[in-house]
Amino acid sequence: MADLSSRNPDWWRQAVIYQVYPRSFADADGDGLGDLAGVTARLDHLATLGVDALWLSPFYPSELADGGYDVADHRGVDPRLGTLDDFDALVAEAHRLGLKVVVDLVPNHTSHRHPWFQQALLSAPGSAARARYVFRPGRGTYGELPPTDWQSVFGGSAWKRVPDGDWYLHLFAPEQPDLDWSHPEVRADFRTTLRFWSDRGVDGFRVDVAHGLAKDLTEPLRDVGGIGATGEEALPLLAPGSHPYWDRDEVHEIYRDWRTLLDTYDPPRTAVAEAWVPDTRRALYARPDELGQAFNFEYLETGWDAERLRRAITASLAEAHTVGASATWVLSNHDVVRHASRLVLPPGTDLDAWLRSGGTDPATDPATDPGAGLRRARAATLLMLALPGSAYLYQGEELGLPEVADLPAEALRDPVWEQSGYTRKGRDGSRVPLPWTSTGPSYGFGPGPAWLPQPESFARYAVEAQSGTEGSTLELYRTALRLRRKLLQGEELTWTPGAPPGVLDFSRAPGWRCLTNLTTEPVARPAGELLLSSVPLAEPDVLPPDTTVWLG
């Protein structure tokens, strides 16, 4: 069994971490927005679920131009979400319940309301205040053109012009100006931030856009010519580490500096990189002298295909082992379509188009049958929890929540909707507040309506409706996590030779086995004690389609 005691420096290696998006978790004060006091009041849910840690998405002061990732004060709490005292109370209660606390760190950019950026706007071009950010004069006869062709991840140019003619870089929303990480004040300020939260008892950090901090700002700035302009998908087209602003080699010096600081704590503070980079580059962020772990997005993006999943699992384990890290596994988060909906869509589905259709096109039988989606999601979860390494769960997946794809346009809050010219609905469908009870104006989320509308179907997914109900998704998660903790030994798996096509079959020490049938036909179930199944088995010797079993 993994040692997850409070002083174990390796607690994270096979931990289960539960992502809390605070604004959508629980509303204690009735303003429709989730808050820290609401999280604290519901921590018993996480303890009962059986996770090892919670990861708090941003709770910092923010105007919510990007769901909280536009941070005006990296060492504060948004007044709508509470106070530092509320944060301290949350950490204390989490630790009392045996839960670790991981917080989001957003180092690539600040909010445009950050004091530094406000000072920069009041200062002249070329001033010291502007040097903390990436300001440049424009091109064209009168400087009327952006300095480069760099594109925002959210759509459109990554440059915005200010009244005096200068342009500033924002790889995300215009309200999120990028910091210049070659500036010593920027580096010093984030070292202070790491100490600030570590001193308050935080056990680790999730590093947002970890691959974006270092940028090639030598003059003249390079255009990218449409290659890799908006993300990681075209990074392989350039020499590794040579993109002007993604995954540059210089970023690793920053994280080596951070690791020196984080290791001064007992136990050392953990960190995990959100790095959208090719799999051959991801392990660099997970080296023991850097962050120690990195999210495995290839696994999330693989889909419901046995051979592709097997390749992704094998490669991810091998890459993590090369640097002494453990692998990470995730199926859903605040940025992607929930896997109870995503995994049953036909391969190659344009998710933006599917969301624009309100989740009706493509209207294949699996996509329109909630039972089919939930069945596949449950099987995917048991497969993930059987793998060596850390599993990251997203709030609500333990309830089997699907994506809320039919949010009306007037309800959307994600800046992607506007910045994409109303072609991408964005991520709000995965951020709809949780249902705790089967009745009430927001199904127990708070005393009044929630900040995003919840569908009526949420009543049957509520914690209240599922808790103690045999066969519910919530009880499946509770059982799986309890059993996983007893079974865990080592960080290896062995693929079973001769497995039928479309079936993933592997064993873990000390002698338990996981099988997942990803085909459309039943297959024979091998002998062995049935420890857990993602669905009840009508025939004990048969493994139905879209089903995972654990055998002893």
Side-chain angles (χ1 to χ4, degrees):
M1 175 177 168
D3 177 11
L4 298 171
S5 62
S6 61
R7 289 296 175 187
N8 173 24
D10 293 329
W11 67 266
W12 49 273
R13 294 190 68 91
Q14 294 205 76
V16 177
I17 298 96
Y18 182 103
Q19 181 189 358
V20 171
Y21 190 75
R23 291 168 173 83
S24 297
F25 192 71
D27 171 22
D29 62 11
D31 65 354
L33 198 65
D35 45 46
L36 295 185
V39 176
T40 304
R42 296 290 190 179
L43 285 176
D44 59 335
H45 172 69
L46 304 189
T48 303
L49 187 62
V51 301
D52 303 302
L54 65 147
W55 149 31
L56 279 174
S57 290
F59 50 86
Y60 312 111
S62 170
E63 65 174 328
L64 303 182
D66 181 22
Y69 284 86
D70 47 314
V71 179
D73 179 1
H74 290 85
R75 297 189 287 274
V77 174
D78 192 304
R80 293 165 293 183
L81 273 65
T83 65
L84 281 171
D85 287 342
D86 291 326
F87 178 84
D88 292 340
L90 188 160
V91 172
E93 178 64 5
H95 287 167
R96 186 188 73 79
L97 293 169
L99 299 167
K100 305 286 188 182
V101 178
V102 175
V103 300
D104 236 308
L105 191 69
V106 188
N108 180 70
H109 45 259
T110 71
S111 165
H112 67 153
R113 293 185 175 181
H114 191 285
W116 277 2
F117 194 72
Q118 290 298 303
Q119 183 184 1
L121 292 179
L122 294 173
S123 302
S127 64
R130 291 197 176 182
R132 301 185 188 110
Y133 294 89
V134 184
F135 278 86
R136 290 293 186 275
R139 296 188 293 192
T141 305
Y142 304 103
E144 72 279 9
L145 300 176
T148 68
D149 66 355
W150 300 355
Q151 296 290 295
S152 163
V153 172
F154 293 158
S157 174
W159 297 94
K160 181 176 175 63
R161 199 178 193 189
V162 298
D164 60 32
D166 252 6
W167 297 73
Y168 69 85
L169 179 67
H170 60 89
L171 290 178
F172 294 87
E175 296 87 354
Q176 294 170 289
D178 281 53
L179 290 162
D180 183 349
W181 269 86
S182 67
H183 198 295
E185 289 184 33
V186 173
R187 298 197 177 204
D189 191 70
F190 273 89
R191 282 193 290 267
T192 299
T193 296
L194 289 167
R195 291 191 188 95
F196 180 86
W197 296 113
S198 296
D199 290 345
R200 298 191 94 91
V202 161
D203 301 285
F205 299 88
R206 178 264 190 187
V207 183
D208 186 62
V209 196
H211 60 306
L213 276 59
K215 299 174 177 68
D216 180 6
L217 299 177
T218 54
E219 298 291 347
L221 298 182
R222 285 188 287 148
D223 282 342
V224 292
I227 298 178
T230 60
E232 73 290 345
E233 68 282 349
L235 284 175
L237 301 178
L238 300 170
S242 69
H243 192 282
Y245 48 87
W246 293 137
D247 189 37
R248 293 192 58 78
D249 290 335
E250 302 96 296
V251 78
H252 298 289
E253 186 275 326
I254 297 170
Y255 299 133
R256 284 191 288 272
D257 178 57
W258 287 13
R259 175 47 55 196
T260 299
L261 186 157
L262 296 174
D263 282 351
T264 63
Y265 290 87
D266 181 22
R269 299 317 191 226
T270 66
V272 58
E274 183 210 27
W276 292 88
V277 299
D279 52 7
T280 55
R281 299 279 294 179
R282 185 175 59 246
L284 301 178
Y285 294 82
R287 289 180 288 196
D289 65 339
E290 294 192 31
L291 296 178
Q293 203 169 54
F295 280 128
N296 176 3
F297 294 116
E298 279 80 9
Y299 183 76
L300 182 153
E301 295 178 329
T302 294
W304 199 240
D305 180 284
E307 187 53 38
R308 290 181 62 212
L309 278 170
R310 177 173 173 145
R311 290 197 301 267
I313 292 167
T314 301
S316 298
L317 289 172
E319 290 154 12
H321 290 171
T322 62
V323 295
S326 64
T328 65
W329 315 102
V330 61
L331 289 167
S332 286
N333 62 38
H334 64 291
D335 281 335
V336 301
V337 171
R338 286 186 177 274
H339 67 277
S341 297
R342 188 183 73 247
L343 287 178
V344 288
L345 290 170
T349 295
D350 181 337
L351 292 176
D352 289 322
W354 180 74
L355 288 170
R356 285 197 307 273
S357 76
T360 63
D361 186 14
T364 61
D365 289 340
T368 56
D369 177 4
L374 184 56
R375 181 186 181 94
R376 190 166 285 183
R378 288 163 60 112
T381 292
L382 286 199
L383 168 61
M384 178 180 73
L385 291 177
L387 296 171
S390 296
Y392 285 80
L393 310 181
Y394 178 51
Q395 64 178 42
E397 69 171 80
E398 77 278 16
L399 306 178
L401 290 184
E403 183 81 0
V404 183
D406 59 353
L407 287 171
E410 61 271 18
L412 299 178
R413 305 289 188 89
D414 193 333
V416 168
W417 176 237
E418 183 175 346
Q419 285 195 232
S420 66
Y422 309 105
T423 60
R424 296 164 56 198
K425 287 183 75 172
R427 301 156 293 179
D428 288 325
S430 65
R431 301 175 181 184
V432 174
L434 296 191
W436 295 93
T437 62
S438 299
T439 59
S442 57
Y443 302 107
F445 169 70
W451 67 282
L452 282 172
Q454 301 155 298
E456 292 182 2
S457 61
F458 266 32
R460 68 174 180 266
Y461 291 103
V463 174
E464 176 186 71
Q466 297 196 47
S467 189
T469 301
E470 184 177 358
S472 72
T473 301
L474 176 57
E475 291 301 334
L476 175 69
Y477 269 72
R478 288 173 174 172
T479 302
L481 293 176
R482 183 169 59 248
L483 186 57
R484 180 183 188 272
R485 190 176 288 241
K486 293 179 180 179
L487 292 172
L488 283 185
Q489 284 191 25
E491 296 182 13
E492 306 290 337
L493 64 74
T494 302
W495 294 106
T496 302
V503 174
L504 293 177
D505 183 353
F506 60 85
S507 59
R508 298 277 314 269
W512 61 291
R513 187 172 174 184
C514 176
L515 291 94
T516 302
N517 181 3
L518 294 93
T519 74
T520 59
E521 300 294 333
V523 298
R525 202 206 87 186
E529 178 189 2
L530 180 64
L531 302 177
L532 189 61
S533 175
S534 59
V535 294
L537 299 183
E539 301 177 67
D541 298 329
V542 174
L543 184 62
D546 294 340
T547 302
T548 297
V549 294
W550 294 358
L551 303 177

